[in-house]
Amino acid sequence: MNVSRIALAGGVAASTVLILAGTASAHVSVQPQGEAAKGGYAVINFKVPNERDDAATTKLEVNFPTDHPLASVQPQAIPGWKIDVTTSKLAKPLDMHGKKINEAVSKVTWTADGGKIEPGRFQQFPLSVGQLPENADQLVFKAIQTYDNKEVVRWIEEQKDGAEEPESPAPVLKLTAATDDAHGAAAAGSDDKNAAVDQAKDETTTASAASSSDTTARVLGIVGIAIGVAGVAFGVLAGRRRTV
C-alpha cells in the first residue's frame, strides 16, 4: 500500500513538473512554411500561445529587424483580426529588382476585431516576406503580446552565444542556404511535382499489389473449394466401401 502511494505521488509530481515545464517553455515563435532561403522569399508563421488561464490575447505587435530590412511584407488576412502595417524610411535605400526602395516595413500589428486567443489555445499569424538577406544566418523579430486584462508580455530578449535561453526570448527565423531560384518558387514547384509523381507511383504500386493479392486470394479460394469437394467425395466413397 505504501509503495503504491509513493509511486502515485511520484507520478503526480512528475506530471506536474512536465506541465509546468511545458507552460514555461511556451513563447511567441516564428517558423517558415518550408524553408527560408537566403536571398529568396518565404511564407513565415508567428505562433502565439496564450499562457494565461484567466485572460485572452487580443493584440500582437511584431517589430522587424532594422539591420536587415525587408522590402516586401504581405500579411495574410485572418478572420476576427485587424492588421496594420507600419513602414519607415530607410537610412540606406535597398536595391530590389533594379529598383531603389526607400521604405521598408518596420512593424506589423494584429488587433482582435471579434477574434481573440482564448486560454489553452494558440493562433498563427502568416506573412509573405522577402527579399531575405544573403549575408545573415537568422533574423530576430521582437514581439509584444497584449492580453485583455491589459497585461503586456515583451518577447524581446535576444539569445546570447553560450547562454541559457532568456525568460522572454524574441522570435528568431533561421535562414537556410541560398537556392538557384531567388524566389524559391521553382524549387518548391519541382519538389511538389516530384512528390506528386512519387505519390502516383506509390498509389499505382499499391493498387497493383492489391490487385495481385486479390487475384491470388481468389485462385487460392477456388483451389481450396476444389480440395474440399474432393475431400468430401473421398470420404463418401470410403464410407460406402466400409459399408460393403
Side-chain angles (χ1 to χ4, degrees):
M1 179 64 71
N2 291 337
V3 174
S4 298
R5 289 180 178 177
I6 293 173
L8 177 61
V12 171
S15 300
T16 303
V17 170
L18 288 175
I19 292 172
L20 293 176
T23 303
S25 62
H27 54 76
V28 176
S29 60
V30 60
Q31 293 293 335
Q33 291 184 7
E35 292 186 348
K38 298 178 181 179
Y41 291 74
V43 175
I44 61 177
N45 285 318
F46 284 91
K47 181 179 178 181
V48 182
N50 192 324
E51 296 186 307
R52 302 294 178 262
D53 296 329
D54 56 354
T57 296
T58 55
K59 187 176 181 180
L60 173 69
E61 299 174 62
V62 174
N63 294 278
F64 283 68
T66 56
D67 53 344
H68 296 292
L70 301 176
S72 175
V73 177
Q74 299 177 333
Q76 178 177 317
I78 303 176
W81 293 83
K82 177 186 175 183
I83 306 173
D84 292 311
V85 179
T86 304
T87 59
S88 300
K89 287 283 186 181
L90 296 175
K92 182 180 179 181
L94 293 175
D95 187 358
M96 187 174 178
H97 305 304
K99 296 182 179 180
K100 293 294 183 181
I101 307 297
N102 296 312
E103 291 185 340
V105 172
S106 56
K107 181 172 68 173
V108 177
T109 304
W110 290 267
T111 305
D113 185 18
K116 56 185 175 181
I117 308 174
E118 299 283 2
R121 300 288 187 268
F122 75 92
Q123 174 72 51
Q124 294 196 59
F125 298 89
L127 292 171
S128 173
V129 299
Q131 187 172 351
L132 298 173
E134 298 180 353
N135 58 343
D137 294 324
Q138 64 181 31
L139 292 177
V140 179
F141 299 86
K142 295 185 178 182
I144 300 176
Q145 181 179 11
T146 303
Y147 290 87
D148 57 7
N149 61 359
K150 307 305 180 183
E151 180 186 3
V152 176
V153 181
R154 301 179 184 277
W155 304 99
I156 60 175
E157 299 180 61
E158 297 189 35
Q159 177 71 50
K160 302 298 183 183
D161 292 339
E164 294 183 359
E165 183 181 62
E167 183 177 352
S168 300
V172 176
L173 177 66
K174 300 292 184 180
L175 304 182
T176 59
T179 61
D180 293 336
D181 182 4
H183 287 75
S190 177
D191 290 342
D192 292 342
K193 182 178 180 181
N194 291 337
V197 172
D198 291 341
Q199 182 178 358
K201 289 181 179 178
D202 291 342
E203 290 176 353
T204 301
T205 302
T206 302
S208 298
S211 177
S212 177
S213 298
D214 185 53
T215 301
T216 302
R218 290 179 180 177
V219 172
L220 291 176
I222 293 172
V223 172
I225 292 173
I227 293 173
V229 171
V232 171
F234 180 79
V236 171
L237 291 175
R240 288 180 178 177
R241 288 176 182 176
R242 290 176 182 174
T243 301
V244 174

